Amino acid sequence: MSCHQRSASLPSSPDSTESKVEVEMQALKGCISSPLVTIDTMRDGLRRLGDIYGCIEEVMSLPSNQVGLSLPWQRKMVEEELDRSLVLVDLCNAMQDYLAELKMSLQELQLALKRGQEAAVQFKIESFVRLAKKAQKPFKKITARKTTAEGCRMVRLLAEAREMAVSLLESASRLLLKQIEVTNRSGWFLVSQRLQKRRVVCEEARLQTLERSVADIESGIESLFRRLIQSRVSLLNILSS
């Protein structure tokens, strides 16, 4: 879904537009809950959710919604949702930091592999797996805080998008860790036994695949993060107008 592609043909009815956003979110939920989900699915899911945030932002910018969100009884819910969204902002920042560390660790591992530094390879493999597991920690600190926002449909859409974003990030992180652990069990331990040239080439290919996976998730998070910040700015502008 691309809001920029559809913005010229947005329906005149805010209710119709909001309903389409809800349909898009349900479709995304179905897509990412599939047992066949992959890193590519997660990357595309993060980007699609970013587009959903963009569409919500466009709906919020409609004059009728700006007036509604500024009303005292809705304003309080908007402010509460802004506070909750800070958790998502922090989570995106943490994930970006972890992914940057993972990429650097992967590059160091590949370099040690090429140089035939057996002890260094084993050490870096263990460090890499520990780092991947460390990326799971932020999710343990997040408590599920469902928001119904009765009577304020726009805030409810924002709350649902936020909750989906947290779920997507956690699923993407777990999927990446699973790929790392499977790769570790299936091949890396052989490297420490004997650094044969053919084996090194094989392991380099595995590491390059992992590096692409990390980059894909990183790209999806960056896309979502930009949309999230834009959404927060729009809400703050509405509240200050």
Side-chain angles (χ1 to χ4, degrees):
M1 173 179 128
S2 175
C3 200
H4 289 298
Q5 293 174 351
R6 294 167 50 175
S7 59
S9 58
L10 279 173
S12 57
S13 168
D15 285 342
S16 176
T17 305
E18 291 166 19
S19 295
K20 287 197 172 186
V21 171
E22 289 177 335
V23 169
E24 290 289 349
M25 282 201 284
Q26 288 303 316
L28 180 54
K29 283 180 183 178
C31 180
I32 63 178
S33 62
S34 168
L36 301 178
V37 68
T38 64
I39 291 291
D40 287 345
T41 306
M42 288 299 170
R43 177 201 61 204
D44 293 341
L46 288 164
R47 289 176 177 173
R48 285 175 63 184
L49 186 55
D51 287 341
I52 287 173
Y53 265 105
C55 286
I56 293 174
E57 184 184 348
E58 288 196 14
V59 178
M60 286 191 303
S61 69
L62 296 174
S64 59
N65 280 330
Q66 288 193 39
V67 172
L69 291 172
S70 298
L71 294 174
W73 66 279
Q74 292 197 37
R75 183 186 183 92
K76 185 175 185 299
M77 286 186 285
V78 172
E79 291 173 344
E80 289 175 350
E81 181 55 34
L82 275 170
D83 288 341
R84 291 189 178 102
S85 70
L86 283 175
V87 174
L88 181 54
V89 171
D90 292 342
L91 187 57
C92 285
N93 280 326
M95 286 295 294
Q96 287 175 318
D97 289 343
Y98 285 133
L99 291 173
E101 288 185 75
L102 279 173
K103 285 202 308 186
M104 182 177 296
S105 180
L106 269 171
Q107 291 165 1
E108 291 174 350
L109 180 52
Q110 290 180 73
L111 184 60
L113 188 62
K114 287 179 180 178
R115 291 177 174 174
Q117 299 170 332
E118 187 171 347
V121 167
Q122 190 61 40
F123 173 77
K124 291 184 181 299
I125 287 172
E126 293 169 357
S127 299
F128 180 69
V129 174
R130 282 198 302 271
L131 181 58
K133 290 180 178 179
K134 181 183 174 183
Q136 307 295 305
K137 290 185 178 180
F139 299 102
K140 296 178 181 179
K141 300 177 182 178
I142 298 176
T143 56
R145 300 202 303 179
K146 300 290 182 181
T147 305
T148 57
E150 294 181 5
C152 188
R153 194 176 183 185
M154 284 305 307
V155 176
R156 179 169 56 79
L157 288 177
L158 284 168
E160 289 178 359
R162 168 177 50 80
E163 289 161 5
M164 186 184 297
V166 172
S167 177
L168 254 175
L169 290 172
E170 184 172 16
S171 296
S173 179
R174 285 179 178 173
L175 191 61
L176 186 60
L177 176 60
K178 182 179 179 181
Q179 183 176 336
I180 290 169
E181 290 178 332
V182 168
T183 302
N184 187 26
R185 287 196 299 268
S186 65
W188 285 349
F189 70 92
L190 293 173
V191 175
S192 63
Q193 294 176 11
R194 191 176 181 184
L195 285 169
Q196 298 176 348
K197 184 176 181 180
R198 184 162 49 181
R199 176 62 63 188
V200 169
V201 171
C202 178
E203 299 313 318
E204 284 179 348
R206 291 178 187 272
L207 294 176
Q208 288 168 4
T209 298
L210 275 174
E211 192 171 7
R212 285 193 296 271
S213 294
V214 171
D216 282 345
I217 296 299
E218 186 177 43
S219 172
I221 293 175
E222 287 174 355
S223 176
L224 172 62
F225 183 73
R226 287 194 299 269
R227 288 291 197 178
L228 176 62
I229 295 300
Q230 290 172 6
S231 174
R232 285 180 52 80
V233 170
S234 295
L235 273 177
L236 288 169
N237 287 338
I238 290 172
L239 293 179
S240 62
S241 61

